[in-house]
C-alpha cells in the first residue's frame, strides 16, 4: 500500500507558469477542411504543473501550486484545483489563461492536441511570480517546475528558480524542453524528466544509456519516457527500465506529468531507485485509464505498482 508522509513540514511546491483549461472533445470523425461537429465535450484543470499537483494530492501529499491566473479561465482552473484540496498562489492578470484541445474521434484510437497560445506577461508579472515563489519556498522541501512559460519579452526560464532552491538546500524536479531545458540544466537541478523526443532534440540519440551519461553531469536523477515502451530512470550509476501495461486506454494526455508526481512522491518517502521507477511508471499508466485528463486514481496506481515489470542495468 502507498502511504502518505502525512508531514506538514514536507510541503511540495509545484510551479506552473502557464496553466490551461484542458478541453476534451469527441467527434464521429475528424476531417480537415470540413465542418466538424462535436458530440461531447469536457473541461478539466490543466497545464503540466497543475497535473503534477493533482497527482501529488491524489497520492496523499500536501501541495502548494504557484501559477499565473489569467481572467475568468484562470480563476476557473484555480477554483477547480482548490476543490481538490490544493492551496493555490500567484498573481492574477486580466488576459485569459489558454485553452488546450484534445480531439478524439470514434473511428480512431489516436488523438489530436491543439495547444493554446495563452497570455503575454511582462516584467511586472514575472517579478510578482518570483516573489511569491521565494515566499512559498520557505515552506517547501521539494520544488517541481513543469512546462512552458507564457509569451514574454524577458527571457523567462526556470534557471533562477532552481538556483534559489539550491541556495536553500531544496531539491528541484524539472520537466521542460528546448531552450528552457538547456537553461535549467545549467543550474544543475536534482531531477529531470523528459520524453525521448525532447532528449533527441538535444543529444541526437535515442539510446537511454547514452543520454543518461550525458545528463549525469547536470542532475542526480534523470527520467526518460518512451511512450508505450515505458520509463527509463537513472541515478548516474544504474538505470532501471519500468513498464506498466494497461488495457482500455482512454487518453495519454498528462501521463508524463502523472509520472513526475510519482517520482516526487517516491523521493519524499525515501524509495530506492527500483521502487521509484515502479511508482513513476504506475502513476503515468494510471493516468491513461481515467477519463479526466491529467488525473489518476490512487487505487489504480497501487494495482499497477504491484504488477510493474522492471529491469536494472549498470551504466558503463
Amino acid at each position: 500500500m502507498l502511504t502518505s508522509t502525512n508531514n506538514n513540514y514536507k510541503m511540495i511546491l509545484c510551479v506552473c507558469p502557464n496553466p490551461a483549461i484542458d478541453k476534451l472533445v469527441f467527434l464521429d470523425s475528424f476531417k480537415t477542411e470540413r465542418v466538424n461537429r462535436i458530440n461531447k465535450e469536457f473541461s478539466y484543470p490543466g497545464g503540466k504543473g497543475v497535473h503534477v499537483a493533482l497527482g501529488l494530492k491524489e497520492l496523499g501529499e500536501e501541495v502548494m501550486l504557484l501559477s499565473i491566473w489569467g481572467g475568468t479561465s484562470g480563476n476557473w482552473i484555480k477554483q477547480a484545483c482548490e476543490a481538490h484540496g490544493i492551496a493555490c498562489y500567484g498573481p492574477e492578470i486580466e488576459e485569459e489563461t489558454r485553452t488546450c484541445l484534445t480531439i478524439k474521434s470514434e473511428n480512431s484510437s489516436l488523438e489530436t492536441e491543439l495547444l493554446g497560445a495563452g497570455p503575454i506577461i511582462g516584467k511586472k508579472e514575472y517579478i510578482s511570480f518570483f516573489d511569491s515563489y521565494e515566499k512559498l519556498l520557505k515552506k517547501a522541501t521539494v520544488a517541481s517546475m513543469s512546462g512552458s512559460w507564457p509569451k514574454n519579452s524577458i527571457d523567462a526560464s526556470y534557471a533562477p528558480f532552481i538556483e534559489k532552491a539550491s541556495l536553500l538546500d531544496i531539491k528541484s524536479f524539472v520537466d521542460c524542453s528546448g531552450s528552457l531545458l538547456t537553461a535549467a540544466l545549467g543550474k544543475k537541478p536534482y531531477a529531470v524528466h523528459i520524453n525521448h523526443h525532447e532528449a533527441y532534440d538535444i543529444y541526437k540519440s535515442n539510446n537511454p544509456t547514452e543520454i543518461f551519461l550525458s545528463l549525469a553531469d547536470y542532475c542526480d536523477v534523470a527520467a526518460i519516457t518512451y511512450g508505450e515502451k515505458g520509463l527509463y530512470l537513472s541515478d548516474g550509476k544504474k538505470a532501471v527500465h519500468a513498464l506498466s501495461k494497461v488495457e482500455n486506454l482512454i487518453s495519454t494526455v498528462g501521463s508524463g506529468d502523472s509520472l513526475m508526481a510519482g517520482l516526487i512522491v517516491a523521493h519524499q518517502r525515501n524509495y530506492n531507485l527500483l521502487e521509484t521507477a515502479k511508482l513513476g511508471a504506475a502513476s503515468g499508466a494510471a493516468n491513461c485509464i481515467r477519463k479526466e485528463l491529467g488525473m489518476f486514481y490512487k487505487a489504480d496506481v497501487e494495482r499497477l505498482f504491484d504488477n510493474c515489470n522492471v529491469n536494472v542495468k549498470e551504466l558503463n
Side-chain angles (χ1 to χ4, degrees):
M1 293 289 291
L2 301 175
T3 57
S4 72
T5 53
N6 193 27
N7 186 339
N8 290 332
Y9 294 101
K10 283 196 171 186
M11 295 285 286
I12 301 168
L13 173 57
C14 292
V15 180
C16 181
N18 204 15
I21 293 178
D22 282 344
K23 188 175 287 289
L24 175 62
V25 301
F26 292 87
L27 313 156
D28 289 330
S29 63
F30 180 62
K31 299 178 181 178
T32 60
E33 300 182 8
R34 300 283 183 89
V35 173
N36 292 273
R37 189 173 297 278
I38 295 172
N39 294 329
K40 296 180 293 183
E41 61 181 86
F42 305 92
S43 295
Y44 309 107
K48 293 181 70 63
V50 168
H51 293 156
V52 173
L54 289 166
L56 291 168
K57 192 65 180 179
E58 177 67 16
L59 291 175
E61 297 297 320
E62 292 302 317
V63 188
M64 301 178 289
L65 175 59
L66 174 63
S67 197
I68 298 172
W69 313 101
T72 54
S73 55
N75 188 54
W76 183 89
I77 299 167
K78 185 177 183 180
Q79 290 181 349
C81 290
E82 290 173 339
H84 283 272
I86 296 170
C88 297
Y89 304 88
E92 298 181 357
I93 62 175
E94 291 185 6
E95 194 172 351
E96 293 291 327
T97 292
R98 63 188 176 139
T99 295
C100 297
L101 289 178
T102 298
I103 303 170
K104 294 182 70 71
S105 56
E106 301 296 339
N107 61 1
S108 174
S109 60
L110 302 177
E111 54 193 22
T112 300
E113 290 187 66
L114 300 176
L115 305 183
I120 299 173
I121 63 168
K123 187 175 181 180
K124 177 182 177 182
E125 291 79 15
Y126 176 83
I127 291 174
S128 176
F129 189 71
F130 190 77
D131 286 347
S132 296
Y133 174 76
E134 288 185 301
K135 293 174 183 176
L136 295 172
L137 206 54
K138 296 175 183 178
K139 299 188 288 184
T141 55
V142 169
S144 169
M145 307 168 197
S146 304
S148 63
W149 279 82
K151 292 181 180 179
N152 63 86
S153 59
I154 51 177
D155 198 25
S157 79
Y158 292 117
F161 291 75
I162 298 168
E163 186 173 33
K164 183 64 179 179
S166 296
L167 290 173
L168 298 176
D169 198 28
I170 295 172
K171 290 181 170 59
S172 300
F173 284 69
V174 178
D175 183 352
C176 57
S177 60
S179 60
L180 286 178
L181 175 60
T182 302
L185 290 173
K187 296 300 180 180
K188 297 188 176 182
Y190 173 73
V192 171
H193 167 242
I194 51 178
N195 65 43
H196 63 106
H197 299 297
E198 294 161 346
Y200 186 84
D201 287 343
I202 292 180
Y203 298 108
K204 306 305 177 189
S205 173
N206 285 314
N207 185 310
T209 299
E210 292 179 359
I211 299 168
F212 285 145
L213 291 173
S214 296
L215 283 169
D217 291 333
Y218 300 98
C219 61
D220 295 312
V221 176
I224 309 171
T225 44
Y226 283 76
E228 63 182 12
K229 295 180 180 179
L231 162 70
Y232 288 85
L233 182 71
S234 173
D235 61 0
K237 299 175 182 178
K238 295 180 180 179
V240 178
H241 175 234
L243 178 61
S244 288
K245 295 182 179 180
V246 295
E247 297 179 356
N248 302 318
L249 182 148
I250 298 174
S251 175
T252 61
V253 172
S255 289
D257 310 322
S258 296
L259 182 146
M260 181 78 149
L263 298 180
I264 296 170
V265 169
H267 168 75
Q268 290 287 82
R269 301 176 189 177
N270 298 313
Y271 284 17
N272 61 33
L273 189 68
L274 189 145
E275 293 169 330
T276 299
K278 287 177 65 176
L279 184 55
S283 300
N287 172 91
C288 298
I289 55 176
R290 180 170 172 175
K291 69 181 183 67
E292 293 90 351
L293 298 182
M295 303 184 206
F296 57 76
Y297 291 113
K298 180 182 176 182
D300 288 330
V301 174
E302 291 176 333
R303 174 176 55 82
L304 291 165
F305 180 91
D306 291 337
N307 295 289
C308 185
N309 297 315
V310 291
N311 293 290
V312 183
K313 175 184 179 182
E314 297 286 340
L315 294 180
N316 297 328

